[in-house]
Amino acid sequence: MIVGNRKDFGEILEKLGPARRVLVLGCNECVTVCGAGGEREVGVLASELRLCWKKEGETFDVKEHTLERQCDYEYIDQIRGFVNDYDVILSMACGAGVQYVAETYKTKLVLPAVNTTFLGVTIEQGVWSERCQGCGACILDMTAGVCPIARCAKSLLNGPCGGSSGGKCEIDNELDCAWQLIVDRLKEAGRMDRYEEILPVKDWRTGRDGGPRRRVREDMRL
Amino acid sequence: MRLSYPSNVKVVKVPCTGRVDVLLILRAFESGVDGVYVAGCLEGECHFLRGNLRARRRVEYVKGLLEEVGLGGDRLEMFNMSASQGQRFAQFAQEMTERIRLLGPLPVRKAPGNG
Ligand code: SF4
Ligand code: SF4
């Protein structure tokens, strides 16, 4: 899933400036699961805004609404009927959702309330960890299912580096060294012969270095 | 025991403090109360094992939110006591009431049309 982090209240207030008619817009997908921008977080942020502005004696109108997704037009379209009652849409979706909402309602000020952080997994309730950087040419078959692009601090294709010690990465002694994990798993699977092969230089054109990406499936188009 | 506690304390019953979530506390403040405290069982004695421990974490989290908003985290507290410690219940009710009296009412300025 896409993992994000709610922005600090102070930063959100600053971005809002003088706007007091605010539509706090959540998303029911990834940001709900990682507790950053689902219906509950919409409730918390809206509540914070109301408490803050009541304290200041301001007149305001804060509406809470959560869409199934903010990355599909058909859902974004559902707020068309009331979106003009608000000065600002405070989107709690990932960056993709914020942008699609902004593209759809061009005359509206659309602000992000979440910092979109990474593609990852739930380690345990309340803990998430990065797993993939969307490089566009997956090599997990070569690395025993551990991604060195996302999980090695240096994104080394042939590791580990000299900083690997006791299974931990030199940048943080709480962080597993991805290459230690790869070697451990190759050993477990009896596939250490794979480790002898040198991985070639990666063609980053499939990743971000090739510019913004787009995917088309002709057979699915209408 | 026939103990008395300040009449300004309004008790909201929940089956376990584990039921007390972030929104419930925020909604209480939104409804205009000046302070909230969560009265949980003694740590290690939760019937549902960790309900009171989780409640404490949520209380800590909401204290942070109240600070962010500028209302101050001291308006919220978590106390632990057993069902037989009526004395402690009354004592915490007193303590919290005094603390909130010192802090004063929740700062709310009147504005026309607030929803
Ligand atoms: S190799 Fe690329 S696609 Fe595969 S997990 Fe790593 S970043 Fe993601
Ligand atoms: S210690 Fe391991 S994870 Fe950290 S940079 Fe070196 S090879 Fe990568």
Side-chain angles (χ1 to χ4, degrees):
Chain A
M1 89 188 92
I2 296 170
V3 179
N5 230 339
R6 220 251 1 238
K7 283 181 180 288
D8 285 341
F9 187 67
E11 184 186 342
I12 293 174
L13 266 191
E14 200 183 305
K15 286 186 196 297
L16 280 172
R20 291 295 175 268
R21 295 187 307 161
V22 180
L23 170 58
V24 185
L25 194 63
C27 174
N28 255 337
E29 301 276 351
C30 309
V31 287
T32 294
V33 183
C34 70
E39 199 175 344
R40 294 178 61 80
E41 289 70 36
V42 165
V44 169
L45 179 53
S47 186
E48 281 189 278
L49 289 171
R50 284 191 292 258
L51 283 168
C52 177
W53 286 335
K54 264 190 200 166
K55 173 173 69 79
E56 309 293 343
E58 308 254 6
T59 303
F60 57 85
D61 181 3
V62 177
K63 183 173 172 68
E64 303 176 22
H65 194 82
T66 300
L67 296 175
E68 200 49 44
R69 284 198 286 282
Q70 287 187 32
C71 49
D72 271 311
Y73 178 79
E74 65 209 87
Y75 300 113
I76 300 175
D77 193 46
Q78 291 168 353
I79 61 172
R80 197 170 291 282
F82 56 85
V83 75
N84 282 324
D85 298 341
Y86 301 92
D87 308 320
V88 170
I89 303 174
L90 198 47
S91 168
M92 302 196 79
C94 72
V98 179
Q99 290 181 60
Y100 215 10
V101 171
E103 268 170 68
T104 308
Y105 301 108
K106 291 196 171 58
T107 59
K108 283 278 144 220
L109 180 58
V110 181
L111 301 174
V114 165
N115 291 324
T116 305
T117 319
F118 56 77
L119 297 181
V121 296
T122 309
I123 297 291
E124 58 178 87
Q125 173 78 6
V127 182
W128 298 272
S129 164
E130 183 163 19
R131 287 293 184 273
C132 172
Q133 286 191 356
C135 75
C138 193
I139 54 162
L140 286 174
D141 56 314
M142 300 297 285
T143 55
V146 176
C147 173
I149 311 294
R151 299 178 68 186
C152 164
K154 295 170 186 150
S155 294
L156 293 178
L157 286 177
N158 296 283
C161 72
S164 177
S165 106
K168 301 295 173 189
C169 172
E170 65 178 339
I171 68 151
D172 176 355
N173 54 20
E174 301 258 300
L175 185 73
D176 288 328
C177 164
W179 273 99
Q180 182 70 56
L181 293 177
I182 293 170
V183 168
D184 288 348
R185 287 190 204 175
L186 286 173
K187 271 188 192 154
E188 251 175 73
R191 289 180 57 214
M192 273 304 275
D193 52 315
R194 174 8 243 132
Y195 191 57
E196 301 295 319
E197 267 174 74
I198 303 292
L199 279 176
V201 173
K202 197 167 167 62
D203 180 352
W204 285 103
R205 284 173 302 181
T206 56
R208 261 293 304 169
D209 293 14
R213 292 163 283 178
R214 177 182 156 91
R215 175 171 180 254
V216 181
R217 241 188 85 173
E218 286 299 344
D219 61 307
M220 282 180 73
R221 303 182 82 172
L222 298 177
Chain B
M1 268 188 274
R2 291 193 180 279
L3 294 165
S4 63
Y5 62 91
S7 58
N8 53 276
V9 175
K10 180 172 165 22
V11 177
V12 178
K13 290 183 188 163
V14 286
C16 167
T17 49
R19 165 68 182 84
V20 178
D21 77 353
V22 172
L23 275 173
L24 204 61
I25 302 173
L26 286 173
R27 294 274 185 265
F29 281 105
E30 279 200 66
S31 77
V33 301
D34 302 320
V36 172
Y37 67 96
V38 178
C41 294
L42 294 172
E43 293 193 357
E45 291 186 5
C46 175
H47 288 289
F48 304 100
L49 302 176
R50 301 182 53 246
N52 52 358
L53 301 178
R54 302 193 64 194
R56 179 170 289 279
R57 289 212 196 129
R58 291 181 196 145
V59 163
E60 290 304 323
Y61 179 75
V62 179
K63 273 171 170 280
L65 298 181
L66 293 172
E67 285 291 339
E68 277 189 332
V69 168
L71 294 176
D74 285 347
R75 292 186 179 275
L76 174 63
E77 206 48 77
M78 168 111 195
F79 296 113
N80 297 88
M81 67 208 72
S82 78
S84 61
Q85 290 175 313
Q87 203 97 41
R88 269 168 80 85
F89 181 88
Q91 176 203 330
F92 289 136
Q94 191 66 46
E95 252 181 61
M96 197 62 187
T97 300
E98 276 161 26
R99 183 199 293 190
I100 300 300
R101 283 239 164 84
L102 281 176
L103 291 171
L106 196 74
V108 175
R109 282 207 236 147
K110 278 273 169 270
N114 268 359

